[in-house]
């Protein structure tokens, strides 16, 4: 698989993925916290886990370069899904209003796909020259992002409870 093919496959999955619709109902938050409230904490945990995984598993041998690359890629990958939500919110009230009102949780499969589409090419292209096995780097990026996205989704659902 090349980076281009992976991005094409991810885009196809996004297009073909069914979206749920809830008619005649409204979302309300049960907890005092919203997904936006926990973002700094889960972002920090995500970055630490990904840096350690990418530094140790494919052995980049450059902790600082790995850390800076992962931080930049995560900024891009976190901003992309939230940017899409913000752009969609132009039709509605405010970005914060959209996060407080729903629709439901932010982190899920679509978030993972957008994260991989943004982060994978950045981290892979920058760190590929510093590893012996580029496929190990590629799969470490994919699996560490999948694991941290699942972690964030679980934390989001535990801490920021809501219902229809």
């Amino acid at each position: 698989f090349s980076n281009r093919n992976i991005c094409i496959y991810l885009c196809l999955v996004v297009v073909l993925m069914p979206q749920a619709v809830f008619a005649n109902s409204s979302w309300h938050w049960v907890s005092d916290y919203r997904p936006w409230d926990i973002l700094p904490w889960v972002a920090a945990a995500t970055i630490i886990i990904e840096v350690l995984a990418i530094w140790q598993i494919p052995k980049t041998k450059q902790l600082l370069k790995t850390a800076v690359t992962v931080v930049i890629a995560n900024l891009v990958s976190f901003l992309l899904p939230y940017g899409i939500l913000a752009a969609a919110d132009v039709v509605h009230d405010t970005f914060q209003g959209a996060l407080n009102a729903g629709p439901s949780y932010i982190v899920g499969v679509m978030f993972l796909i957008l994260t991989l589409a943004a982060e994978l090419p950045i981290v892979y292209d920058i760190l590929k020259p510093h590893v012996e096995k580029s496929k190990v780097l590629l799969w470490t990026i994919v699996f560490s992002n999948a694991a941290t996205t699942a972690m964030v989704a679980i934390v989001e659902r535990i801490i920021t409870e809501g219902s229809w």
Side-chain angles (χ1 to χ4, degrees), residues 50 74 77 112 115-116 119 140-150:
E50 288 178 18
N74 270 274
S77 71
L112 173 61
T115 297
L116 285 173
E119 192 171 327
T140 302
I141 296 167
V142 170
F143 287 125
S144 66
N145 273 280
T148 56
T149 300

Side-chain angles (χ1 to χ4, degrees), residues 14 17 39 42 46 74 76-83 85 105-119 145 148-150 152-153 156-157:
V14 169
M17 186 176 299
L39 178 62
V42 297
T46 295
N74 270 274
V76 171
S77 71
F78 270 110
L79 292 177
L80 181 65
Y82 283 103
L85 285 174
Y105 300 102
I106 295 170
V107 179
V109 174
M110 186 74 94
F111 193 94
L112 173 61
I113 291 167
L114 291 172
T115 297
L116 285 173
E119 192 171 327
N145 273 280
T148 56
T149 300
V152 171
E156 183 181 51
R157 282 152 181 80

Side-chain angles (χ1 to χ4, degrees), residues 59-72:
K59 307 258 189 262
T60 61
K61 299 176 187 142
Q62 297 192 10
L63 178 59
L64 183 60
K65 187 169 189 172
T66 301
V68 169
T69 302
V70 170
V71 167
I72 291 169

